[in-house]
Amino acid sequence: MPVQNADIAATFEKIADILEIEDANPFRVRAYRTAARLIRGLSHDLSGMVNAGKDLTELPDIGEDLAKKIVEIVHTGHCSMLKKLETQIPPALTELLQVPGLGPKRVRTLWHELDVETVSQLAVAAREGRIRTIPGFAEKTEAKILQALQDHTAALHRFPIPIAARDAASLVLYLQGIPGVKQAVVAGSFRRGRETVGDLDLLVAAERGRQVMDHFTAHKDVAEIISSGPTRSTVILHNKLQVDLRVVKDEAYGAALQYFTGSKEHNIAIRRMGQSKGLKINEYGVFRDKERIAGETESSVYASIGLPYIEPELRENRGEIEAAVSGHLPNLAELGDLRGDLHVHCQSSQSLRVMADEAKNRGFEYLAVTLRSSNADPKRLDKFMAEIDAINGAMEEITLLKGIEVQIEKDGNLDLPDNVLRSLDLVIGGLFGHFDLPRERQTTRILKAMDNPHFSILAHPCARLIGTRGPIDADMSRIIRHARDRGCFLEINSRPDRLDLMDIYARMAKDEGAEMVVSSGGNSPEDFDDLRFGMQQAKRGWLEKKDIINTLRLKELRSQIAKTMGR
Ligand code: DGT
Ligand code: CA
Ligand code: CA
């Protein structure tokens, strides 16, 4: 199929967008926009003209340079200049331009001032009121962005966890405050720690359901009541998130929680096991004939079929029931097991101190600050080292490690020379471009990066951005085995739009005997909160304390890393 005029116009629009984000010469930007508009309005096909050997510069506003690009696009289907430009900015950045009210200038400012690179990061920044703090962004702008994002998120159907988490926390608190409510919790996929949720499932134990429902549907965040009865209601919040509420009596609370936590596949398997023992298991309890024999707690439901309690993160019918039967359930790692964070960024010496203080307050023993390789010119690197030494000299309770985050280049080389890497305690490497290489090349690229003797941690190995960019096409099982053999560690990055390693690969890595690290990947003190999402992902991957190296004491951690780095 020949290249359409619309494709060529879109390519030029995209070039103009990126140039404008990069603050390029406005005349250059305008040349691409003008050409795009002209091409869209043409009545004849450019590909036909190219193939007929016509001189394109005879068209208004098309010079030598643009003509050459059109020929390239018609012949090859792509534009090498655009490909090059795309590697210069975070890949999701141009998607921010789709948000009504955001032009390239604003996108650039949000990126530089707030580190906002994706739509979900924009949502979090808007919700936290950080956008209004930038000069030129009024409170009204922030509200407009928020509204636009809510429409955008609704279109995605599934909600990112941090947004659901806020609504969940505030609704649970609200429900707990209603007279007569004994318990209020979140069930469903949220409780199982999935990375996105379709809707929120809330469960309340109370005697009088009608009263609870009336309070619930009157909540200020409720935009629309889909249905409301004495035991079940469904509402839509202003941000388009659907919330289901079930009210049950105390004696059925455990059975209802087990049922509404799911997953459906897990429940079906549990119900079958019950049937084989002559039991009926449903959301009201466990019954033998008409007699209720369990249901007050979740544990009682599992115990009725001879099983130990199964953690919600495992309930996907991925072997957890068999493991429970044979007594081989994992002893899952907990957030409290983490003794430090090995991947955070700091913008200034001041924020370095703030991060160190916060890490100490959270009871961490160590914190690796990872300078971005793009900021690692000799002068800044020296300053960074000196600042860390100064803080380590002044603070007793916590040790800062000198880390660096390097980019894995297209050919698998790291973007800093070995003599620089040698001077650091920790080298993290990740993919920041060329996400669409074919499988074999992508895989060998990563294997080669890990072979660098200074390489210690593979950051966000799948390089996906939830809701924006899918995982790279690579042979994860080979990457995992290589990491194990080489002694490198695989990161579970806790940023809510990354959550990468994904649960299935964390599980594969554990099974293969590779070791992992759960990192916040944060830029500010609050970002340590995200570790809970990373730990949920770890639990969904069946990880135990021994699978996660940042549960080690500093001394053991140091010797592990030193071994990896051949020191
Ligand atoms: P989501 O909302 O798409 O992120 O995923 P869930 O797992 O929260 O699904 P949801 O909200 O449709 O239902 C909540 C739980 O209720 C689900 O995990 C298990 C239970 N459930 C719902 N429908 C059925 C069903 O037909 N059979 C069984 N056994 N359980 C069900
Ligand atoms: Ca749900
Ligand atoms: Ca639901």
Side-chain angles (χ1 to χ4, degrees), residues 87 408-410 431-437 442 445 472:
T87 64
I408 299 174
E409 293 176 337
K410 191 175 176 186
L431 302 188
F432 294 88
H434 304 291
F435 301 110
D436 50 6
L437 291 185
Q442 195 69 279
R445 172 192 187 190
I472 50 166

Side-chain angles (χ1 to χ4, degrees), residues 145-417:
I145 291 175
L146 211 48
Q147 184 57 51
L149 282 176
Q150 282 163 3
D151 300 344
H152 184 90
T153 317
L156 285 177
H157 290 304
R158 297 193 67 83
F159 275 69
I161 281 288
I163 292 181
R166 272 158 228 251
D167 288 319
S170 90
L171 284 168
V172 163
L173 211 61
Y174 175 81
L175 290 169
Q176 283 167 341
I178 299 173
V181 168
K182 295 178 187 147
Q183 319 216 44
V185 286
V186 193
S189 53
F190 184 86
R191 183 166 179 241
R192 302 198 309 280
R194 278 198 59 184
E195 55 207 30
T196 59
V197 301
D199 69 0
L200 271 184
D201 304 281
L202 303 180
L203 179 68
V204 157
E207 281 309 313
R208 274 191 291 193
R210 188 68 264 171
Q211 205 178 334
V212 176
M213 290 306 181
D214 288 344
H215 272 85
F216 172 62
T217 53
H219 189 276
K220 64 172 175 37
D221 290 344
V222 171
E224 194 185 337
I225 302 169
I226 303 292
S227 67
S228 179
T231 59
R232 55 194 297 172
S233 294
T234 295
V235 303
I236 310 278
L237 304 184
H238 288 299
N239 65 2
K240 304 283 195 294
L241 178 62
Q242 178 178 315
V243 184
D244 290 346
L245 173 62
R246 305 293 207 294
V247 180
V248 298
K249 304 244 188 295
D250 252 358
E251 70 228 30
Y253 176 76
L257 182 56
Q258 197 282 328
Y259 181 91
F260 291 116
T261 295
S263 66
K264 194 170 158 182
E265 292 72 21
H266 173 89
N267 286 357
I268 290 170
I270 290 291
R271 215 182 315 144
R272 281 220 186 97
M273 257 187 94
Q275 275 160 5
S276 72
K277 294 178 193 292
L279 299 175
K280 188 170 161 201
I281 302 178
N282 59 30
E283 63 264 54
Y284 305 106
V286 180
F287 301 88
R288 173 170 283 125
D289 301 324
K290 287 264 138 59
E291 186 201 358
R292 175 206 298 275
I293 63 158
E296 204 166 332
T297 63
E298 277 192 311
S299 297
S300 75
V301 175
Y302 287 107
S304 74
I305 47 173
L307 297 185
Y309 177 75
I310 300 176
E311 302 272 355
E313 288 86 353
L314 300 178
R315 300 183 196 169
E316 299 289 348
N317 199 21
R318 293 179 183 163
E320 73 279 10
I321 295 173
E322 294 79 352
V325 168
S326 65
H328 291 95
L329 279 174
N331 183 11
L332 296 183
E334 296 292 336
L335 186 58
D337 292 331
L338 298 183
R339 290 187 197 270
D341 190 342
L342 297 181
H343 183 177
V344 302
H345 298 288
C346 290
Q347 323 301 7
S348 65
S349 13
Q350 203 187 355
S351 71
L352 197 63
R353 186 65 211 227
V354 174
M355 289 293 267
D357 277 333
E358 180 66 21
K360 186 195 79 182
N361 291 340
R362 291 187 185 230
F364 286 160
E365 213 179 306
Y366 46 85
L367 175 70
V369 182
T370 47
L371 193 67
R372 289 195 173 92
S373 53
S374 52
N375 292 334
D377 57 83
K379 226 175 101 192
R380 277 154 102 175
L381 196 62
D382 281 351
K383 186 165 162 267
F384 172 74
M385 304 278 214
E387 282 168 356
I388 294 212
D389 287 337
I391 293 180
N392 278 340
M395 288 177 78
E396 288 263 294
E397 305 89 333
I398 187 157
T399 302
L400 298 193
L401 301 176
K402 296 164 185 162
I404 194 131
E405 184 175 37
V406 295
Q407 305 200 7
I408 299 174
E409 293 176 337
K410 191 175 176 186
D411 56 7
N413 287 324
L414 307 181
D415 70 342
L416 283 178

